[in-house]
mmCIF file of all heavy atoms in Angstrom:
data_model
loop_
_atom_site.group_PDB
_atom_site.id
_atom_site.type_symbol
_atom_site.label_atom_id
_atom_site.label_comp_id
_atom_site.label_asym_id
_atom_site.label_seq_id
_atom_site.Cartn_x
_atom_site.Cartn_y
_atom_site.Cartn_z
ATOM 1 N N CYS A 153 12.119 -2.212 -1.094
ATOM 2 C CA CYS A 153 12.510 -1.135 -1.923
ATOM 3 C C CYS A 153 13.216 -1.683 -3.136
ATOM 4 O O CYS A 153 14.106 -2.517 -2.995
ATOM 5 C CB CYS A 153 13.461 -0.160 -1.124
ATOM 6 S SG CYS A 153 13.985 1.277 -2.103
ATOM 7 N N VAL A 154 12.818 -1.266 -4.321
ATOM 8 C CA VAL A 154 13.376 -1.807 -5.540
ATOM 9 C C VAL A 154 13.766 -0.642 -6.509
ATOM 10 O O VAL A 154 13.222 0.447 -6.384
ATOM 11 C CB VAL A 154 12.416 -2.736 -6.287
ATOM 12 C CG1 VAL A 154 11.996 -3.878 -5.353
ATOM 13 C CG2 VAL A 154 11.184 -2.029 -6.786
ATOM 14 N N ARG A 155 14.678 -0.933 -7.384
ATOM 15 C CA ARG A 155 15.147 0.135 -8.354
ATOM 16 C C ARG A 155 14.739 -0.260 -9.759
ATOM 17 O O ARG A 155 14.865 -1.364 -10.191
ATOM 18 C CB ARG A 155 16.693 0.205 -8.266
ATOM 19 C CG ARG A 155 17.304 1.324 -9.072
ATOM 20 C CD ARG A 155 18.674 1.684 -8.444
ATOM 21 N NE ARG A 155 18.499 2.269 -7.098
ATOM 22 C CZ ARG A 155 19.447 2.364 -6.161
ATOM 23 N NH1 ARG A 155 20.700 2.002 -6.490
ATOM 24 N NH2 ARG A 155 19.217 2.873 -4.989
ATOM 25 N N VAL A 156 14.136 0.749 -10.455
ATOM 26 C CA VAL A 156 13.687 0.563 -11.816
ATOM 27 C C VAL A 156 14.179 1.700 -12.712
ATOM 28 O O VAL A 156 14.616 2.702 -12.150
ATOM 29 C CB VAL A 156 12.092 0.519 -11.852
ATOM 30 C CG1 VAL A 156 11.546 -0.643 -11.050
ATOM 31 C CG2 VAL A 156 11.577 1.870 -11.367
ATOM 32 N N ARG A 157 14.150 1.439 -13.993
ATOM 33 C CA ARG A 157 14.475 2.515 -14.917
ATOM 34 C C ARG A 157 13.422 3.665 -14.728
ATOM 35 O O ARG A 157 12.270 3.494 -14.475
ATOM 36 C CB ARG A 157 14.444 2.042 -16.329
ATOM 37 C CG ARG A 157 15.605 1.119 -16.715
ATOM 38 C CD ARG A 157 15.410 0.628 -18.155
ATOM 39 N NE ARG A 157 15.248 1.731 -19.111
ATOM 40 C CZ ARG A 157 16.259 2.344 -19.704
ATOM 41 N NH1 ARG A 157 17.516 1.964 -19.517
ATOM 42 N NH2 ARG A 157 16.026 3.359 -20.570
ATOM 43 N N SER A 158 13.936 4.921 -14.917
ATOM 44 C CA SER A 158 13.085 6.103 -14.681
ATOM 45 C C SER A 158 11.884 6.159 -15.651
ATOM 46 O O SER A 158 10.884 6.856 -15.363
ATOM 47 C CB SER A 158 13.910 7.339 -14.784
ATOM 48 O OG SER A 158 14.847 7.404 -13.738
ATOM 49 N N ASP A 159 11.998 5.476 -16.821
ATOM 50 C CA ASP A 159 10.920 5.525 -17.786
ATOM 51 C C ASP A 159 9.929 4.337 -17.580
ATOM 52 O O ASP A 159 9.001 4.196 -18.417
ATOM 53 C CB ASP A 159 11.456 5.486 -19.197
ATOM 54 C CG ASP A 159 12.284 4.308 -19.520
ATOM 55 O OD1 ASP A 159 12.547 3.464 -18.587
ATOM 56 O OD2 ASP A 159 12.789 4.183 -20.653
ATOM 57 N N ALA A 160 10.047 3.587 -16.516
ATOM 58 C CA ALA A 160 9.157 2.494 -16.255
ATOM 59 C C ALA A 160 7.759 3.001 -15.811
ATOM 60 O O ALA A 160 7.685 4.077 -15.253
ATOM 61 C CB ALA A 160 9.717 1.548 -15.176
ATOM 62 N N TRP A 161 6.726 2.261 -16.019
ATOM 63 C CA TRP A 161 5.378 2.746 -15.765
ATOM 64 C C TRP A 161 4.916 2.711 -14.303
ATOM 65 O O TRP A 161 4.056 3.535 -13.943
ATOM 66 C CB TRP A 161 4.354 1.901 -16.550
ATOM 67 C CG TRP A 161 4.373 0.456 -16.365
ATOM 68 C CD1 TRP A 161 4.996 -0.501 -17.096
ATOM 69 C CD2 TRP A 161 3.786 -0.305 -15.276
ATOM 70 N NE1 TRP A 161 4.897 -1.756 -16.601
ATOM 71 C CE2 TRP A 161 4.116 -1.654 -15.449
ATOM 72 C CE3 TRP A 161 3.048 0.060 -14.168
ATOM 73 C CZ2 TRP A 161 3.688 -2.660 -14.591
ATOM 74 C CZ3 TRP A 161 2.634 -0.928 -13.291
ATOM 75 C CH2 TRP A 161 2.943 -2.271 -13.489
ATOM 76 N N PRO A 162 5.484 1.886 -13.417
ATOM 77 C CA PRO A 162 4.959 1.941 -12.000
ATOM 78 C C PRO A 162 5.148 3.331 -11.361
ATOM 79 O O PRO A 162 6.192 3.946 -11.519
ATOM 80 C CB PRO A 162 5.819 0.897 -11.311
ATOM 81 C CG PRO A 162 6.218 -0.041 -12.374
ATOM 82 C CD PRO A 162 6.488 0.846 -13.598
ATOM 83 N N GLU A 163 4.104 3.786 -10.682
ATOM 84 C CA GLU A 163 4.096 5.052 -9.986
ATOM 85 C C GLU A 163 3.408 4.913 -8.692
ATOM 86 O O GLU A 163 2.752 3.887 -8.413
ATOM 87 C CB GLU A 163 3.454 6.103 -10.864
ATOM 88 C CG GLU A 163 1.989 5.835 -11.198
ATOM 89 C CD GLU A 163 1.417 6.869 -12.097
ATOM 90 O OE1 GLU A 163 2.085 7.851 -12.455
ATOM 91 O OE2 GLU A 163 0.211 6.740 -12.483
ATOM 92 N N ALA A 164 3.516 5.931 -7.824
ATOM 93 C CA ALA A 164 2.909 5.812 -6.498
ATOM 94 C C ALA A 164 1.360 5.614 -6.626
ATOM 95 O O ALA A 164 0.694 6.216 -7.440
ATOM 96 C CB ALA A 164 3.141 7.146 -5.773
ATOM 97 N N GLY A 165 0.876 4.630 -5.820
ATOM 98 C CA GLY A 165 -0.530 4.299 -5.851
ATOM 99 C C GLY A 165 -0.865 3.085 -6.704
ATOM 100 O O GLY A 165 -1.919 2.499 -6.529
ATOM 101 N N ARG A 166 0.056 2.735 -7.573
ATOM 102 C CA ARG A 166 -0.214 1.561 -8.525
ATOM 103 C C ARG A 166 -0.095 0.270 -7.762
ATOM 104 O O ARG A 166 0.675 0.099 -6.793
ATOM 105 C CB ARG A 166 0.728 1.572 -9.705
ATOM 106 C CG ARG A 166 0.509 2.703 -10.718
ATOM 107 C CD ARG A 166 -0.844 2.633 -11.411
ATOM 108 N NE ARG A 166 -1.080 1.367 -12.050
ATOM 109 C CZ ARG A 166 -0.799 1.079 -13.329
ATOM 110 N NH1 ARG A 166 -0.226 2.037 -14.099
ATOM 111 N NH2 ARG A 166 -1.085 -0.063 -13.837
ATOM 112 N N LEU A 167 -0.882 -0.738 -8.225
ATOM 113 C CA LEU A 167 -0.742 -2.106 -7.768
ATOM 114 C C LEU A 167 0.183 -2.830 -8.729
ATOM 115 O O LEU A 167 0.112 -2.608 -9.948
ATOM 116 C CB LEU A 167 -2.068 -2.813 -7.785
ATOM 117 C CG LEU A 167 -3.113 -2.427 -6.644
ATOM 118 C CD1 LEU A 167 -4.399 -3.156 -6.844
ATOM 119 C CD2 LEU A 167 -2.510 -2.712 -5.279
ATOM 120 N N VAL A 168 1.011 -3.719 -8.178
ATOM 121 C CA VAL A 168 1.935 -4.508 -9.027
ATOM 122 C C VAL A 168 1.891 -5.942 -8.455
ATOM 123 O O VAL A 168 1.737 -6.149 -7.285
ATOM 124 C CB VAL A 168 3.356 -3.972 -9.061
ATOM 125 C CG1 VAL A 168 3.411 -2.575 -9.740
ATOM 126 C CG2 VAL A 168 3.928 -3.865 -7.610
ATOM 127 N N ARG A 169 2.107 -6.870 -9.366
ATOM 128 C CA ARG A 169 2.302 -8.281 -8.952
ATOM 129 C C ARG A 169 3.766 -8.536 -8.995
ATOM 130 O O ARG A 169 4.358 -8.527 -10.104
ATOM 131 C CB ARG A 169 1.503 -9.245 -9.874
ATOM 132 C CG ARG A 169 1.631 -10.712 -9.474
ATOM 133 C CD ARG A 169 0.584 -11.561 -10.243
ATOM 134 N NE ARG A 169 0.712 -11.366 -11.696
ATOM 135 C CZ ARG A 169 1.543 -12.105 -12.476
ATOM 136 N NH1 ARG A 169 2.356 -13.009 -11.927
ATOM 137 N NH2 ARG A 169 1.541 -11.864 -13.748
ATOM 138 N N THR A 170 4.408 -8.763 -7.855
ATOM 139 C CA THR A 170 5.825 -9.018 -7.838
ATOM 140 C C THR A 170 6.106 -10.535 -7.914
ATOM 141 O O THR A 170 5.387 -11.336 -7.327
ATOM 142 C CB THR A 170 6.452 -8.496 -6.518
ATOM 143 O OG1 THR A 170 5.922 -9.210 -5.399
ATOM 144 C CG2 THR A 170 6.090 -7.040 -6.356
ATOM 145 N N VAL A 171 7.113 -10.875 -8.680
ATOM 146 C CA VAL A 171 7.550 -12.293 -8.790
ATOM 147 C C VAL A 171 9.076 -12.301 -8.641
ATOM 148 O O VAL A 171 9.810 -11.630 -9.326
ATOM 149 C CB VAL A 171 7.156 -12.816 -10.237
ATOM 150 C CG1 VAL A 171 7.603 -14.260 -10.356
ATOM 151 C CG2 VAL A 171 5.706 -12.686 -10.438
ATOM 152 N N PHE A 172 9.520 -13.154 -7.649
ATOM 153 C CA PHE A 172 10.945 -13.262 -7.413
ATOM 154 C C PHE A 172 11.250 -14.565 -6.713
ATOM 155 O O PHE A 172 10.362 -15.291 -6.300
ATOM 156 C CB PHE A 172 11.474 -12.105 -6.540
ATOM 157 C CG PHE A 172 10.743 -11.899 -5.222
ATOM 158 C CD1 PHE A 172 11.254 -12.432 -4.052
ATOM 159 C CD2 PHE A 172 9.562 -11.159 -5.142
ATOM 160 C CE1 PHE A 172 10.624 -12.250 -2.838
ATOM 161 C CE2 PHE A 172 8.919 -10.985 -3.973
ATOM 162 C CZ PHE A 172 9.435 -11.517 -2.767
ATOM 163 N N GLU A 173 12.544 -14.861 -6.669
ATOM 164 C CA GLU A 173 12.997 -16.071 -6.016
ATOM 165 C C GLU A 173 13.517 -15.729 -4.627
ATOM 166 O O GLU A 173 14.144 -14.693 -4.379
ATOM 167 C CB GLU A 173 14.175 -16.687 -6.776
ATOM 168 C CG GLU A 173 13.785 -17.277 -8.114
ATOM 169 C CD GLU A 173 13.015 -18.590 -7.976
ATOM 170 O OE1 GLU A 173 13.414 -19.380 -7.061
ATOM 171 O OE2 GLU A 173 12.069 -18.833 -8.749
ATOM 172 N N LEU A 174 13.202 -16.566 -3.641
ATOM 173 C CA LEU A 174 13.677 -16.332 -2.234
ATOM 174 C C LEU A 174 14.113 -17.677 -1.707
ATOM 175 O O LEU A 174 13.304 -18.591 -1.544
ATOM 176 C CB LEU A 174 12.511 -15.770 -1.406
ATOM 177 C CG LEU A 174 12.840 -15.394 0.041
ATOM 178 C CD1 LEU A 174 13.797 -14.260 0.043
ATOM 179 C CD2 LEU A 174 11.607 -15.147 0.846
ATOM 180 N N ASP A 175 15.386 -17.784 -1.412
ATOM 181 C CA ASP A 175 15.948 -18.970 -0.800
ATOM 182 C C ASP A 175 15.614 -20.256 -1.597
ATOM 183 O O ASP A 175 15.265 -21.265 -1.098
ATOM 184 C CB ASP A 175 15.519 -19.173 0.652
ATOM 185 C CG ASP A 175 15.972 -18.023 1.547
ATOM 186 O OD1 ASP A 175 17.015 -17.416 1.202
ATOM 187 O OD2 ASP A 175 15.292 -17.737 2.544
ATOM 188 N N GLY A 176 15.748 -20.070 -2.943
ATOM 189 C CA GLY A 176 15.552 -21.223 -3.847
ATOM 190 C C GLY A 176 14.137 -21.527 -4.208
ATOM 191 O O GLY A 176 13.904 -22.492 -4.898
ATOM 192 N N GLY A 177 13.151 -20.749 -3.738
ATOM 193 C CA GLY A 177 11.750 -21.000 -4.074
ATOM 194 C C GLY A 177 11.062 -19.718 -4.610
ATOM 195 O O GLY A 177 11.530 -18.634 -4.294
ATOM 196 N N PRO A 178 10.038 -19.872 -5.446
ATOM 197 C CA PRO A 178 9.387 -18.749 -6.048
ATOM 198 C C PRO A 178 8.435 -18.049 -5.037
ATOM 199 O O PRO A 178 7.868 -18.636 -4.169
ATOM 200 C CB PRO A 178 8.632 -19.350 -7.186
ATOM 201 C CG PRO A 178 8.282 -20.748 -6.731
ATOM 202 C CD PRO A 178 9.481 -21.158 -5.919
ATOM 203 N N VAL A 179 8.361 -16.718 -5.193
ATOM 204 C CA VAL A 179 7.354 -15.917 -4.452
ATOM 205 C C VAL A 179 6.595 -15.038 -5.467
ATOM 206 O O VAL A 179 7.224 -14.425 -6.328
ATOM 207 C CB VAL A 179 8.098 -15.019 -3.388
ATOM 208 C CG1 VAL A 179 7.023 -14.053 -2.750
ATOM 209 C CG2 VAL A 179 8.799 -15.799 -2.369
ATOM 210 N N GLU A 180 5.298 -15.036 -5.326
ATOM 211 C CA GLU A 180 4.412 -14.207 -6.109
ATOM 212 C C GLU A 180 3.529 -13.427 -5.171
ATOM 213 O O GLU A 180 2.765 -14.031 -4.466
ATOM 214 C CB GLU A 180 3.609 -15.003 -7.156
ATOM 215 C CG GLU A 180 2.826 -14.166 -8.101
ATOM 216 C CD GLU A 180 2.182 -14.943 -9.210
ATOM 217 O OE1 GLU A 180 2.822 -15.941 -9.691
ATOM 218 O OE2 GLU A 180 1.055 -14.619 -9.649
#
Side-chain angles (χ1 to χ4, degrees):
C153 179
V154 303
R155 187 155 295 163
V156 298
R157 288 177 55 90
S158 294
D159 57 0
W161 56 262
E163 59 185 356
R166 290 297 304 268
L167 286 177
V168 293
R169 180 169 56 87
T170 66
V171 180
F172 57 96
E173 292 286 322
L174 184 69
D175 296 334
V179 174
E180 184 171 325

